[in-house]
Amino acid sequence: MSATGTRRLTTAQALVRFLAAQYTERDGVRHRLIAGTWGIFGHGNVAGVGQALVEYGGVMPFHQGRNEQAMVHAAVGYARQLNRLSAQAVTTSIGPGATNLVTGAALATVNRLPVLLLPGDYFASHAAGPLLQQLEHPVEADVSVNDALRPVSRYFDRINRPEALLASALRAMRVLADPAETGAVTLALPQDVQAEAFDWPEEFFADRVWRVRRPAPDPEELTEAVRALRAARRPLIVAGGGVHHSEAEAALTALADATGIPVASTQAGKGALRHDHPADLGGIGHTGTAVADDLARTADLVIGVGTRYSDFTTASGTLFQDPDVRFLNLNITAFDAHKLAARTLVCDARAGLTALTEALTGHRVPSSYEDEYRAGRSRWEEKVRAAFRADDDSAVPTQTQVLGALDAVVGDEDVVINAAGSLPGDLHKLWRSRSPRQYHLEYGYSCMGYEIPAALGVQQAAPGTAVWALVGDGTYLMNPTEIVTAVQENLPVKLVLVQNHGYASIGGLSESVGAERFGTDYRHRAADGTFTGAPLPVDLAANAASLGMDVLRAKTVRELREALATARAATRPTCVHVETEAARDALPAEAWWDVPVAEVSAREPVNDARARYEQAVADRRHHL
């Protein structure tokens, strides 16, 4: 103490001490807002934030990462598992350490998930320069590479003076804790300012609680919404990620039970109802189920709950085809609530669903409508069983049989993580979600390399839970480095590594648009540029083992089942490596997705694809 009511600390020390005293509270339950810090140290942060984390190691847990982007993914996985009520910080050096944050920041902001980014920056004094790794701009001396984080951050500030942190830190916490505004928050920290001392007011370090609101619906909006629902003959609920973030699954179940309104789900919303609930239709959109997409085409009222209506959900504007279809959007974010010219309920998902259930007492959809969608559910379940079934245990499994084997092993509270490749489509159509947090698909940014680090974050948030990262070979090669972190931190994540020798998803898309799978195979290339068909001599299982994982190799369906059971019981990081049957067996898309095809070409596959494209795009609607 240097004076009554103040504490003399460096800026970095003050920031770490401040972060350790921040809390969220919702429904009377309190959480640490910043529960830990991930870091890779370099000359931009080692003497500032690094020293401060040593100083306050007793109150701020530290996690050592191997890749800056991966650290953000881990923090995002952590925040999502805890319904955005608790988050983590990520600190990096300047230069490439800072720019490696950009992809992770975009992912967090697109998915409305909180993460605090603390990249090092140039000297605020400009006394030493140009620094190692510093970008010099000839006419804007205050620009640094950290400015690349501005468009992908919900809040950004560069702390050029210690006292600037007093206001900026509070603004940063407000955004992180606000369910309508949250995403990536960046505080760029010039390295000289990090080490500079200041007399900080004691109040800055007092415990502070950020209450996460549950705003109720506006009475007039609620009245209009109820009127629309009572008038609808074929209503359909589209459940998005906001249902989970609000912990509104029970409220949604109550509404479906009371009214019989069927529920389809986005990738982020899957699991909002249990898969065996009579009103659950599974996924919707391009990767949706036949029953969900068929009902969507004839729905007269679509009730979006916590969804941002991505192009996959709307089938690029072609899915909702009833001439008189209208939309009612319940969302805590007005920006999303107003999409598709909808009636709006701008409120918390749980509060809004509860209010709707109470106001709709005695109302139920026609019994013929319930009979229709329940019959559709039964037909689709037959397709799921057929896709999962393996009649020959000695055969090489297909990808959907891998999912079937996993489905037979997981417990109700296990978490299954995926983000990119061909797996999201299969999972959205086929996976049977048994609990709200079991299905963890990052499909807002669909970032290859997300799964393994996200599994670390989820495992930290849910110790004792079996956490599965499902990755294809393409995704694995993007970002396997955090396997080392899992080993170091004793996080018993389970990795299912599906080897299919290339980019299966984008390869199929390439073929469908006339690009002939160009550049999507992992195979030997002949002198004329064509692929010889021989797989590359790459052993990804050996790679995972070299990074410290226990590895189980499964070549048949029987071996796969045994390996998955062993992995689930394992107490250290374990990989199940399986090479799948080359022929894709996935169910076809039940709805379109707009990927423009070349308008002119000398190649017939392109011209054929263009003709199909023009036919499909003619069904697009602008809902006004």
Side-chain angles (χ1 to χ4, degrees):
M1 294 286 187
S2 61
T4 302
T6 64
R7 189 183 308 188
R8 190 161 182 80
L9 302 172
T10 69
T11 302
Q13 292 166 356
L15 175 60
V16 171
R17 185 63 190 84
F18 168 84
L19 294 176
Q22 307 303 302
Y23 297 87
T24 62
E25 186 175 283
R26 186 170 71 182
D27 304 328
V29 180
R30 188 168 295 189
H31 307 262
R32 277 280 296 269
L33 177 50
I34 305 299
T37 298
W38 289 88
I40 296 175
F41 295 113
H43 70 92
N45 64 341
V46 65
V49 174
Q51 187 281 324
L53 288 168
V54 174
E55 191 95 8
Y56 290 106
V59 294
M60 179 57 68
F62 174 72
H63 311 292
Q64 183 181 8
R66 268 72 196 176
N67 173 280
E68 291 87 358
Q69 177 181 317
M71 293 193 297
V72 185
H73 294 338
V76 166
Y78 179 91
R80 174 170 170 165
Q81 182 67 21
L82 294 176
N83 300 314
R84 308 191 298 189
L85 296 170
S86 187
Q88 293 175 322
V90 177
T91 179
T92 73
S93 63
I94 71 167
T99 51
N100 280 350
L101 296 173
V102 173
T103 296
L107 181 149
T109 296
V110 165
N111 287 285
R112 278 68 157 171
L113 292 167
V115 61
L116 176 62
L117 308 179
L118 304 173
D121 214 321
Y122 56 48
F123 282 40
S125 67
H126 293 207
L131 304 178
L132 175 66
Q133 301 177 321
Q134 180 182 347
L135 172 73
E136 290 185 280
H137 195 289
V139 296
E140 294 183 83
D142 63 340
V143 167
S144 82
V145 296
N146 287 336
D147 289 280
L149 287 159
R150 289 181 184 271
V152 293
S153 297
R154 292 292 291 170
Y155 178 80
F156 179 98
D157 195 10
R158 179 175 286 114
I159 309 301
N160 284 317
R161 291 293 308 140
E163 57 268 34
L165 183 64
L166 292 167
S168 192
L170 294 173
R171 293 173 187 145
M173 297 305 104
R174 182 195 66 79
V175 173
L176 288 171
D178 190 324
E181 294 190 35
T182 196
V185 167
T186 300
L187 296 180
L189 301 172
Q191 52 189 302
D192 54 343
V193 177
Q194 289 182 49
E196 186 174 347
F198 182 74
D199 292 327
W200 302 89
E202 279 293 337
E203 293 86 351
F204 189 59
F205 307 114
D207 287 358
R208 191 179 300 267
V209 178
W210 302 85
R211 286 188 171 79
V212 180
R213 302 183 302 277
R214 287 197 182 277
D218 175 82
E220 292 187 11
E221 286 192 338
L222 180 61
T223 298
E224 290 185 6
V226 171
R227 186 181 299 120
L229 278 161
R230 288 187 178 276
R233 300 293 294 172
R234 299 180 65 83
L236 172 67
I237 293 172
V238 176
V243 176
H244 293 308
H245 300 328
S246 175
E247 299 174 284
E249 298 89 356
L252 178 62
T253 302
L255 178 62
D257 287 343
T259 64
I261 300 174
V263 178
S265 55
T266 69
Q267 287 278 19
K270 192 172 171 74
L273 289 188
R274 269 187 63 101
H275 74 95
D276 53 2
H277 190 282
D280 181 61
L281 307 181
I284 191 171
H286 178 65
T287 54
T289 67
V291 58
D293 287 352
D294 285 347
L295 259 68
R297 292 184 181 96
T298 60
D300 58 357
L301 181 66
V302 178
I303 306 103
V305 183
T307 178
R308 62 190 189 92
Y309 287 111
S310 78
D311 61 338
F312 258 56
T313 299
T314 67
S316 299
T318 64
L319 186 58
F320 306 109
Q321 285 296 320
D322 185 279
D324 299 317
V325 66
R326 291 294 180 265
F327 295 84
L328 167 64
N329 291 338
L330 191 166
N331 205 298
I332 199 167
T333 305
F335 173 77
D336 291 314
H338 281 87
K339 289 177 178 175
L340 301 175
R343 291 183 175 90
T344 62
L345 275 176
V346 181
C347 61
D348 169 73
R350 193 169 86 181
L353 289 168
T354 300
L356 284 174
T357 302
E358 292 172 353
L360 288 167
T361 299
H363 174 74
R364 195 166 185 88
V365 300
S367 59
S368 59
Y369 186 47
E370 290 190 75
D371 292 341
E372 176 187 345
Y373 71 69
R374 289 183 182 185
R377 273 177 43 86
S378 296
R379 290 191 298 272
W380 186 258
E381 182 58 29
E382 284 298 320
K383 291 190 175 184
V384 174
R385 283 194 286 266
F388 282 178
R389 186 168 54 244
D391 297 323
D392 182 0
D393 280 1
S394 64
V396 175
T398 63
Q399 182 163 286
T400 58
Q401 288 169 349
V402 171
L403 298 183
L406 184 62
D407 175 77
V409 167
V410 299
D412 284 6
E413 299 304 318
D414 289 18
V415 179
V416 176
I417 301 172
N418 187 241
S422 56
L423 279 164
D426 290 349
L427 285 161
H428 200 205
K429 292 186 187 78
L430 302 173
W431 190 257
R432 298 158 165 164
S433 298
R434 308 173 199 178
S435 60
R437 279 294 164 204
Q438 183 172 83
Y439 188 87
H440 182 128
L441 259 285
E442 188 287 295
Y443 217 58
Y445 212 51
S446 187
C447 185
M448 295 178 73
Y450 171 82
E451 295 91 339
I452 296 173
L456 273 60
V458 172
Q459 193 75 82
Q460 289 176 332
T465 298
V467 180
W468 302 84
L470 275 57
V471 301
D473 51 336
T475 291
Y476 179 87
L477 287 168
M478 287 280 184
N479 205 358
T481 55
E482 298 317 300
I483 288 174
V484 177
T485 303
V487 173
Q488 181 180 31
E489 299 235 351
N490 300 309
L491 297 171
V493 296
K494 294 93 173 60
L495 171 61
V496 180
L497 177 49
V498 179
Q499 172 62 275
N500 54 22
H501 302 290
Y503 300 128
S505 174
I506 208 68
L509 177 61
S510 172
E511 189 170 46
S512 73
V513 299
E516 304 171 50
R517 293 185 176 265
F518 177 75
T520 64
D521 285 330
Y522 288 168
R523 298 178 184 274
H524 280 290
R525 188 185 294 274
D528 64 358
T530 61
F531 290 104
T532 66
L536 295 175
V538 175
D539 190 341
L540 298 184
N543 179 264
S546 75
L547 297 176
M549 269 196 148
D550 290 344
V551 175
L552 306 168
R553 295 176 184 260
K555 296 182 179 180
T556 67
V557 172
R558 182 184 301 107
E559 291 176 359
L560 174 63
R561 290 172 180 154
E562 293 170 354
L564 290 173
T566 300
R568 189 173 189 278
T571 58
R572 67 181 314 277
T574 302
C575 170
V576 175
H577 177 276
V578 56
E579 186 164 354
T580 55
E581 179 66 40
R584 286 275 293 135
D585 65 321
L587 297 173
E590 299 291 339
W592 185 60
W593 181 42
D594 190 349
V595 178
V597 179
E599 195 166 357
V600 295
S601 173
R603 304 179 70 86
E604 277 308 305
V606 180
N607 295 328
D608 292 343
R610 180 68 192 190
R612 293 192 299 270
Y613 175 80
E614 290 177 354
Q615 184 177 14
V617 80
D619 292 332
R620 192 196 316 277
R621 293 186 60 187
H622 298 284
H623 299 283
L624 301 172

